Amino acid sequence: MVKPKWTRVLWKKQPFPDNYVGDSFLRVSKKRKELSLFEACYGALSVTQEICSCLGLVVLFFGISEGHLNSKNVLAVTAGVGVAGYLITRTKLTASVWFDLKVVCFCVILIACASPIIKSLTGSVATDSINASTTFLLLLRLAVHDYGTEVAIVNPTVSHNVGLFASVCLASRLENDLDVFTLMTVAVALFTLLPSFRRYHQNQLGKWWHMASTVVVVVLTALGIVSFAPHLLLLFLIALFVCNLFVPVMYISLQGYKQNIYGPWDEAQIEDR
């Protein structure tokens, strides 16, 4: 008689003891997703845009604090871009527009009322401590931001909160309430509205539009850095090199060493037949 083959199923009665396991019980297999260098570089574009958002906030702070930028003009540009982005994402103007308008009015009133408090919030704290805290918070935002991947470190709530907290730290060093209101409004646009618009832009318009928008954002950020914060230019170039070339190349080169070990401890899955 031919001895039947043991299989890892519970619904089938087999002529084996209950504690019997076959050779396939401890199965080990290697499984990894093969990516090209172009796909890896494309995946880094969202990180690049978020780096530009963080540095853009710092550039606006330097421009406003040193008097090179007028707060009213910055507010006008932010409002215009925000309305344009809203009209693009809202293909149909429904009753929810009034709800969105209420939310915008509430946020504007809240920021306006909080501006005098924010201006004097860190008066007893050294500037070096504020700069260090802002740098750490922006780096933390880059680390936990949602770039469209399901990993454990992603936390959109923490990312949003630390971004606004970093904005509060910077805004507390400005001279008047209007400047504080302007910087906080821009921070809300960069850290709350822009990520949603970026996801819509990427999903609806495709890869090439996403790449083109990234190029535009990088160019605008570079121009702002050269104009108002030239000491950040080297940091910006290093960040672009690491994010868009070094990390993707390292990721592709190390993919060959990646392996996942599967065994009876795995979660049950329905395999393709």
Side-chain angles (χ1 to χ4, degrees), residues 197-233:
F197 179 76
R198 184 187 303 133
R199 285 191 292 269
Y200 171 85
H201 190 276
Q202 185 175 1
N203 295 332
Q204 298 295 327
L205 301 181
K207 291 184 177 181
W208 294 107
W209 282 101
H210 183 54
M211 296 170 60
S213 64
T214 304
V215 172
V216 172
V217 170
V218 169
V219 171
L220 292 178
T221 305
L223 291 177
I225 291 176
V226 172
S227 302
F228 307 119
H231 57 282
L232 296 178
L233 182 59

Side-chain angles (χ1 to χ4, degrees), residues 71-103:
S71 297
K72 295 181 181 179
N73 295 335
V74 175
L75 276 177
V77 173
T78 303
V81 174
V83 171
Y86 181 81
L87 294 178
I88 292 174
T89 54
R90 288 285 184 176
T91 55
K92 294 182 179 180
L93 298 180
T94 59
S96 61
V97 173
W98 296 109
F99 175 78
D100 297 335
L101 183 61
K102 292 178 182 178
V103 172

Side-chain angles (χ1 to χ4, degrees), residues 184-258:
M184 291 305 301
T185 303
V186 173
V188 171
L190 288 176
F191 297 148
T192 305
L193 302 179
L194 186 58
S196 300
F197 179 76
R198 184 187 303 133
R199 285 191 292 269
Y200 171 85
H201 190 276
Q202 185 175 1
N203 295 332
Q204 298 295 327
L205 301 181
K207 291 184 177 181
W208 294 107
W209 282 101
H210 183 54
M211 296 170 60
S213 64
T214 304
V215 172
V216 172
V217 170
V218 169
V219 171
L220 292 178
T221 305
L223 291 177
I225 291 176
V226 172
S227 302
F228 307 119
H231 57 282
L232 296 178
L233 182 59
L234 180 60
L235 176 63
F236 181 58
L237 295 177
I238 293 175
L240 290 182
F241 171 76
V242 171
C243 177
N244 294 279
L245 185 60
F246 180 76
V247 172
V249 170
M250 290 294 295
Y251 179 81
I252 294 298
S253 61
L254 295 177
Q255 274 291 92
Y257 300 98
K258 181 181 178 181

Side-chain angles (χ1 to χ4, degrees), residues 39-223:
E39 292 174 326
C41 293
Y42 176 78
L45 294 182
S46 298
V47 184
T48 302
Q49 291 198 15
E50 196 58 36
I51 292 174
C52 292
S53 298
C54 295
L55 286 178
L57 180 71
V58 177
V59 167
L60 286 176
F61 167 75
F62 282 112
I64 294 174
S65 61
E66 295 176 2
H68 300 304
L69 289 175
N70 186 282
S71 297
K72 295 181 181 179
N73 295 335
V74 175
L75 276 177
V77 173
T78 303
V81 174
V83 171
Y86 181 81
L87 294 178
I88 292 174
T89 54
R90 288 285 184 176
T91 55
K92 294 182 179 180
L93 298 180
T94 59
S96 61
V97 173
W98 296 109
F99 175 78
D100 297 335
L101 183 61
K102 292 178 182 178
V103 172
V104 171
C105 293
F106 174 78
C107 292
V108 170
I109 295 174
L110 181 63
I111 296 174
C113 294
S115 295
I117 302 174
I118 295 175
K119 185 180 66 174
S120 59
L121 188 63
T122 60
S124 60
V125 182
T127 302
D128 292 340
S129 300
I130 294 297
N131 294 338
S133 299
T134 303
T135 303
F136 171 76
L137 291 170
L138 292 179
L139 290 176
L140 180 60
R141 172 177 173 81
L142 292 175
V144 303
H145 185 68
D146 184 9
Y147 299 106
T149 57
E150 298 180 359
V151 293
I153 195 175
V154 171
N155 194 323
T157 302
V158 174
S159 174
H160 178 265
N161 290 341
V162 297
L164 292 184
F165 188 28
S167 308
V168 169
C169 293
L170 290 177
S172 64
R173 292 305 183 186
L174 296 176
E175 297 294 333
N176 56 68
D177 296 345
L178 180 60
D179 293 342
V180 175
F181 176 80
T182 301
L183 190 66
M184 291 305 301
T185 303
V186 173
V188 171
L190 288 176
F191 297 148
T192 305
L193 302 179
L194 186 58
S196 300
F197 179 76
R198 184 187 303 133
R199 285 191 292 269
Y200 171 85
H201 190 276
Q202 185 175 1
N203 295 332
Q204 298 295 327
L205 301 181
K207 291 184 177 181
W208 294 107
W209 282 101
H210 183 54
M211 296 170 60
S213 64
T214 304
V215 172
V216 172
V217 170
V218 169
V219 171
L220 292 178
T221 305
L223 291 177

